[in-house]
């Protein structure tokens, strides 16, 4: 007797779901019908974004071809994002109005940012670093605006968010803006709520990052929390003003807003609560991975950082557990890595490698990082035709 078909719906096309599609492409399962719903047929790989911002590679070189990957996995791709889900009736509603039934579903929809309030007639230009899927549109608008700046002027670029991503992004953006408008004096400031730079890294990686920021002409303000954009710059929680013409906002990660209207268990920041198997708390057959997921209870004393490396590490286990859930088989637990390798581009053709207390930097680290990122993207993409 033929087993009944199970409908598996992948909501979002993030890094973890790329591994799920790869797994089904390598080991097809005729009893599982897969549907992928995403806002685009191309998905940005977060590790390559700084190189693209710095002008070192094209946008296309940073993207996973979700359409081609879905085809290899024998799945159906619908380029319309999910906007609602009913866990009880097992159905997802898409932005185009389509309603899709599922037996098992998985979320890999990333995160967005809690943006600052704006006051005054001329607040600085805001570039939100998330959601990642639409960053290229926002970056293009800023680049066009920079073309109109008066020659010989001084422009202040402030990045709010002192994590590794905030440091790397600011250095990459400063490099590209200086290349685009060398006739302008560009000054950078990194605003960090933490009292130390990269609090989870060791002394040497922190020192190397501080040196790179200094070389890039970037001032670091510690223990300062940016709150609102007002005429002239960024208003801090201490009531001070940081001069700014352009503000990169890379802090305050929160879950996608549409999740608030669902019956899913969310934490205070709007992320979907999951257990060790990546299954949503008290919602059998529903899973979440990557930035949109939060462990309940936490796997560590502090939540996992919102970094692509964790979604990548979750991918293979998620693929196994989704397959197991479709066949009503036991699920495996995910164990987070104790330490991860962070490679931070500095915007000048160099990079810093950080793993625990170990740190080193150089041009060779940047070339190494580019090779790792290119290999990761090529793993999921069909070969380019020349």
């Amino acid at each position: 007797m033929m087993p009944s078909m199970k409908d598996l719906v992948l909501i979002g096309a993030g890094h973890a779901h790329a591994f799920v599609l790869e797994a089904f492409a390598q080991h097809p399962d005729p009893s599982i019908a897969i549907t992928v719903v995403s806002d685009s047929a191309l998905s940005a790989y977060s590790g390559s974004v700084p190189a693209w911002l710095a002008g070192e590679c094209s946008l296309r070189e940073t993207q996973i071809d979700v359409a081609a990957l879905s085809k290899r996995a024998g799945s159906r791709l619908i380029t319309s994002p999910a906007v609602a889900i009913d866990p009880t009736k097992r159905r997802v509603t898409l932005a185009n109005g389509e309603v899709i039934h599922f037996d098992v579903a998985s979320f890999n929809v990333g995160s967005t940012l809690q943006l600052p309030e704006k006051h005054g007639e001329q607040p600085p230009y805001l570039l939100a670093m998330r959601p990642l899927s639409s960053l290229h549109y926002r970056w293009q608008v800023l680049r066009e605006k920079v073309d109109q700046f008066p020659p010989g002027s001084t422009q202040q670029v402030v990045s709010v968010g002192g994590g590794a991503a905030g440091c790397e992004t600011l250095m990459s953006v400063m490099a590209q803006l200086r290349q685009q408008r060398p006739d302008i004096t560009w000054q950078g400031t990194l605003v960090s709520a933490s009292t130390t730079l990269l609090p989870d890294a060791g002394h040497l990686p922190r020192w190397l990052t501080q040196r790179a920021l200094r070389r890039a002409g970037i001032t670091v303000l510690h223990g300062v929390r940016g709150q609102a954009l007002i005429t002239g710059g960024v208003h801090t929680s201490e009531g001070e003003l940081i001069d700014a013409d352009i503000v990169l906002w890379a802090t305050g990660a929160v879950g996608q807003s549409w999740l608030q209207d669902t019956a899913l268990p969310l934490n205070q920041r709007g992320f979907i609560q999951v257990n060790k198997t990546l299954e949503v708390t008290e919602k059998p057959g529903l899973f979440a991975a990557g930035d949109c997921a939060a462990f309940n209870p936490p796997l560590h004393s502090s939540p996992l950082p919102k970094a692509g490396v964790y979604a990548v590490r979750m991918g293979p286990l998620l693929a196994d557990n989704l397959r197991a859930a479709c066949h009503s088989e036991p699920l495996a637990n995910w164990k987070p890595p104790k330490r991860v390798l962070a490679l931070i581009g500095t915007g000048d053709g160099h990079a810093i490698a950080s793993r625990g207390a170990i740190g080193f930097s150089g041009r060779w680290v940047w070339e190494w990082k580019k090779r790792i990122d290119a290999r990761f993207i090529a793993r999921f993409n069909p070969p380019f035709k020349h």
Side-chain angles (χ1 to χ4, degrees):
M1 190 171 135
M2 283 285 289
S4 60
M5 287 288 289
K6 294 287 183 180
D7 288 312
L8 170 60
V9 176
L10 303 181
I11 302 166
H15 305 352
H17 280 174
F19 282 92
V20 174
L21 291 169
E22 179 190 60
F24 278 96
Q26 290 171 348
H27 303 286
D29 190 328
S31 66
I32 301 174
I34 306 171
T35 302
V36 184
V37 297
S38 170
D39 56 358
S40 172
L42 297 167
S43 174
Y45 170 54
S46 58
S48 293
V49 166
W52 162 66
L53 286 171
E56 290 251 351
C57 66
S58 68
L59 176 64
R60 184 64 190 87
E61 286 174 292
T62 71
Q63 294 171 323
I64 293 169
D65 188 338
V66 179
L69 185 56
S70 298
K71 191 174 178 183
R72 289 215 313 277
S75 63
R76 175 175 63 136
L77 171 65
I78 304 173
T79 51
S80 181
V83 292
I85 185 167
D86 187 329
T88 309
K89 293 182 178 173
R90 319 294 278 185
R91 63 190 188 194
V92 182
T93 304
L94 308 187
N96 65 4
E98 199 170 341
V99 177
I100 300 170
H101 170 269
F102 65 86
D103 296 296
V104 175
S106 175
F107 292 87
N108 190 203
V109 293
S111 61
T112 186
L113 295 176
Q114 194 169 355
L115 296 179
E117 292 181 14
K118 290 183 181 182
H119 305 292
E121 290 178 13
Q122 283 189 307
Y125 184 87
L126 176 68
L127 178 67
M129 302 317 296
R130 291 173 191 257
L132 201 56
S133 58
S134 51
L135 176 59
H136 57 287
Y137 296 118
R138 299 191 296 277
W139 179 230
Q140 183 60 37
V141 172
L142 174 56
R143 296 282 305 279
E144 289 167 4
K145 185 178 176 65
V146 166
D147 278 335
Q148 309 304 316
F149 284 173
S153 61
T154 297
Q155 299 290 328
Q156 306 277 354
V157 183
V158 174
S159 178
V160 179
C167 296
E168 186 174 35
T169 301
L170 180 56
M171 287 188 279
S172 299
V173 165
M174 293 289 286
Q176 179 64 279
L177 294 179
R178 284 174 175 144
Q179 190 178 336
Q180 182 182 341
R181 289 296 304 272
D183 58 321
I184 287 174
T185 302
W186 295 98
Q187 296 180 344
T189 305
L190 184 76
V191 177
S192 174
S194 171
T195 51
T196 57
L197 198 65
L198 309 182
D200 298 327
H203 173 74
L204 183 54
R206 279 207 301 271
W207 181 83
L208 289 168
T209 306
Q210 283 167 340
R211 184 182 69 170
L213 288 164
R214 197 165 54 246
R215 285 177 174 176
I218 294 167
T219 304
V220 182
L221 302 178
H222 291 298
V224 177
R225 198 175 291 277
Q227 264 192 336
L229 303 190
I230 61 175
T231 299
V234 180
H235 188 254
T236 72
S237 52
E238 290 73 33
E240 295 175 354
L241 175 70
I242 300 167
D243 292 343
D245 301 291
I246 297 168
V247 175
L248 313 182
W249 200 262
T251 190
V254 292
Q256 304 290 355
S257 57
W258 67 271
L259 296 174
Q260 295 289 343
D261 299 322
T262 67
L264 298 171
L266 307 178
N267 72 359
Q268 288 178 318
R269 300 202 68 80
F271 299 119
I272 303 167
Q273 294 186 316
V274 299
N275 58 34
K276 288 180 182 178
T277 64
L278 305 181
E279 194 170 41
V280 178
T281 307
E282 296 181 357
K283 300 289 180 190
L286 274 182
F287 294 77
D291 276 9
C292 70
F295 286 94
N296 181 35
L299 298 181
H300 292 300
S301 54
S302 58
L304 286 180
K306 297 300 176 188
V309 63
Y310 295 104
V312 166
R313 297 294 184 91
M314 290 175 190
L317 179 124
L318 176 65
D320 290 345
N321 278 357
L322 290 177
R323 198 186 291 263
C326 287
H327 292 289
S328 303
E329 293 170 356
L331 307 176
N333 288 344
W334 184 72
K335 294 183 181 66
K338 284 192 173 66
R339 287 195 189 90
V340 294
L341 173 68
L343 295 170
I344 303 168
T346 53
D348 58 353
H350 292 68
I352 298 161
S354 166
R355 190 172 188 270
I358 302 165
F360 35 86
S361 67
R363 188 173 293 278
W364 69 270
V365 182
W366 178 244
E367 294 302 324
W368 180 38
K369 174 176 165 54
K370 286 202 297 184
R371 279 199 303 276
I372 291 172
D373 291 342
R375 201 179 306 132
F376 180 85
I377 293 167
R379 164 183 190 150
F380 301 109
N381 284 349
F384 279 112
K385 289 187 175 129
H386 295 289

